[in-house]
Amino acid sequence: MQRAIEDVALEAERLIRDQVWVLTPAERLVVAKAATELEAAVGTPQSQQSLPAVDRLEHLREALAAVAIALAHVHGRLAWFLGAAATALTPVLHWRALSAEDGPTFGAVSPTLQQYTDAEEAIRRLRSALASMADIVIT
């Protein structure tokens, strides 16, 4: 997941740097909003690691929802970028934090703590790329 987000972020950064892709003011607003929502969903590593698995998974799903909502409002390169990011994050949709209690799980699996951390880091990298696109300062 981290590798896929890194690859798409680097490609977007290259296209923007080479002025192949010039974001419109409207696109900058969308990416700024998405960056803010990703920050709210998945804060610092320390804050996430102290949470129970069910809360971590909830935050990851909130982040994926923020990407999907941003995707719904754009077209062209930004839509392709956000679509690739959403696709990279889709494994979180198949994760579960609750016990199956011998019932059906619809294919959901329990991720490892490392998988949670990797997904959170991927989202932080995506947030960084979006913030850069929006020309906002990351603290």
Side-chain angles (χ1 to χ4, degrees):
M1 195 177 309
Q2 280 191 60
R3 182 79 248 159
I5 292 294
E6 182 65 23
D7 289 347
V8 75
L10 288 173
E11 182 178 358
E13 290 164 352
R14 181 185 51 78
L15 291 172
I16 291 167
R17 182 185 59 247
D18 294 347
Q19 297 184 358
V20 172
W21 179 16
V22 178
L23 279 82
T24 66
E27 289 174 324
R28 287 186 189 279
L29 286 174
V30 170
V31 297
K33 184 174 191 269
T36 299
E37 291 173 353
L38 293 182
E39 172 67 24
V42 181
T44 66
Q46 298 79 13
S47 68
Q48 288 301 113
Q49 291 171 0
S50 66
L51 296 173
V54 70
D55 292 334
R56 289 179 82 174
L57 183 53
E58 178 182 328
H59 292 181
L60 289 168
R61 289 177 179 158
E62 286 173 8
L64 181 54
V67 173
I69 289 168
L71 173 59
H73 294 287
V74 296
H75 304 282
R77 281 192 175 93
L78 184 53
W80 305 332
F81 169 76
L82 291 171
T87 298
L89 298 172
T90 57
V92 304
L93 297 175
H94 302 286
W95 292 354
R96 63 181 173 83
L98 301 176
S99 169
E101 298 181 16
D102 297 325
T105 64
F106 304 96
V109 297
S110 296
T112 65
L113 291 177
Q114 186 59 49
Q115 286 174 304
Y116 281 118
T117 300
D118 290 346
E120 291 158 356
E121 286 302 315
I123 289 167
R124 288 186 194 97
R125 175 60 175 109
L126 178 58
R127 178 191 52 84
S128 172
L130 292 170
S132 176
M133 289 177 189
D135 289 330
I136 57 178
V137 178
I138 300 173
T139 56

